[in-house]
């Protein structure tokens, strides 16, 4: 894959670039976030540091998500919960704290890539209606009472899995496997953050039931249009 490595530390960037090349990838290193925003269309994947000299990496991520759904793993020394939550809510596909083992980084890249490469099966394109909520699984859009709601890629993926299994309990492991591509590599906290965001944006209590100790269930009536 063509991977953008956005990292201002020369030593760290050099090690990541060399490692990625050993695994057959084509990395390009940028030291500032502005370069990523200018050239993002040329990449299949992004590794993004947060401590950048021109602007905070979270702001770079926010701007990137306005124009692109390219998979992003945040790779940073910033391990506080607030930064992790903000990064995931802004659309990061995963979050890894330095110093990270390179084998783990590669595993996470592979996991995110598998999820991103998945496509809808033939015949699965349809509109799902639940009360005043309408979900277009083909166009990946959702409206509530006629209003468009802006969901991140992960929030929509979670919503799609739940509505396709309406009335059935879906385990946390199954959700992480279907949305992140690997239930063992995905971070459990990621699911919690995205579920909270999804529920807040839907603004309809009771649609997504929590099954304590297991997972979630879509409790809204569903009609396929």
């Amino acid at each position: 894959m063509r991977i953008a490595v956005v990292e201002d530390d020369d030593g760290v960037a050099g090690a990541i670039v060399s490692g990625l090349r050993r695994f057959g990838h084509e990395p390009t290193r940028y030291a500032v976030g502005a370069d990523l925003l200018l050239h993002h269309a040329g990449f299949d994947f992004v590794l993004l540091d947060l401590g950048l000299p021109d602007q905070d990496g979270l702001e770079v991520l926010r701007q990137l998500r306005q124009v692109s759904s390219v998979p992003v793993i945040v790779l940073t020394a910033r391990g506080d919960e607030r930064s992790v939550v903000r990064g995931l809510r802004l659309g990061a596909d995963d979050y890894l704290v330095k110093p990270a083992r390179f084998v783990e980084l590669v595993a996470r890249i592979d996991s995110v890539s598998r999820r991103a490469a998945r496509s809808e099966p033939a015949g699965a394109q349809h509109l799902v209606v639940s009360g005043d909520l309408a979900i277009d699984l083909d166009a990946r859009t959702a409206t509530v009472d006629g209003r468009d709601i802006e969901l991140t890629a992960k929030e929509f993926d979670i919503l799609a899995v739940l509505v396709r299994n309406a009335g059935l309990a879906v385990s946390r492991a199954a959700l992480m496997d279907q949305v992140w591509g690997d239930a063992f590599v995905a971070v459990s906290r990621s699911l919690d953050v995205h579920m909270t965001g999804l529920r807040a944006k839907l603004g309809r209590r009771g649609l997504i039931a929590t099954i304590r100790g297991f997972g979630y269930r879509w409790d809204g009536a569903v009609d396929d249009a």
Side-chain angles (χ1 to χ4, degrees):
M1 290 187 297
R2 298 165 298 172
I3 302 178
V5 179
V6 189
E7 168 63 63
D8 67 319
D9 186 295
D10 292 339
V12 173
I16 293 173
V17 166
S18 296
L20 290 174
R21 284 178 179 156
R22 287 199 303 272
F23 278 85
H25 297 297
E26 299 176 15
T28 299
R29 183 267 181 114
Y30 296 121
V32 295
D35 286 343
L36 173 66
L37 296 175
L38 284 173
H39 303 291
H40 67 85
F43 294 97
D44 307 306
F45 208 101
V46 174
L47 296 178
L48 177 64
D49 186 24
L50 297 185
L52 300 174
D54 60 334
Q55 56 184 318
D56 190 86
L58 290 174
E59 175 60 20
V60 175
L61 177 60
R62 186 191 68 79
Q63 294 181 54
L64 179 65
R65 279 293 175 252
Q66 292 179 346
V67 295
S68 174
S69 59
V70 62
V72 175
I73 290 180
V74 170
L75 180 60
T76 179
R78 222 182 278 177
D80 60 285
E81 185 172 3
R82 183 171 182 271
S83 294
V84 175
V85 170
R86 286 192 64 201
L88 294 171
R89 284 181 171 167
L90 285 171
D93 294 273
D94 205 344
Y95 194 109
L96 191 58
V97 178
K98 300 174 186 173
R101 294 172 297 178
F102 195 79
V103 172
E104 180 181 359
L105 174 61
V106 171
R108 290 179 183 243
I109 291 173
D110 290 344
S111 174
V112 171
S113 298
R114 286 197 302 271
R115 189 274 310 165
R118 290 179 179 178
S119 59
E120 291 289 330
Q125 297 86 353
H126 56 266
L127 179 69
V128 175
V129 178
S130 180
D132 61 355
L133 171 65
I135 307 158
D136 190 325
L137 296 172
D138 185 24
R140 294 180 62 84
T141 59
T143 61
V144 173
D145 196 22
R147 295 180 296 101
D148 290 333
I149 53 176
E150 296 184 4
L151 300 177
T152 68
K154 283 293 192 297
E155 288 168 351
F156 190 91
D157 289 341
I158 292 169
L159 176 62
V161 171
L162 291 175
V163 298
R164 289 192 184 106
N165 295 277
L168 302 176
V170 180
S171 70
R172 291 176 61 86
L175 268 174
M176 288 190 288
D177 186 67
Q178 292 185 58
V179 174
W180 277 268
D182 191 329
F184 297 99
V185 174
V187 180
S188 181
R189 185 188 299 172
S190 300
L191 175 58
D192 298 330
V193 171
H194 290 294
M195 183 64 73
T196 298
L198 173 60
R199 282 170 158 163
K201 291 176 181 179
L202 293 177
R204 296 293 185 271
R205 294 176 63 86
L207 280 180
I208 302 175
T210 298
I211 303 173
R212 190 179 300 276
F214 182 78
Y216 302 93
R217 181 182 63 242
W218 182 265
D219 276 350
V222 169
D223 297 313
D224 291 347

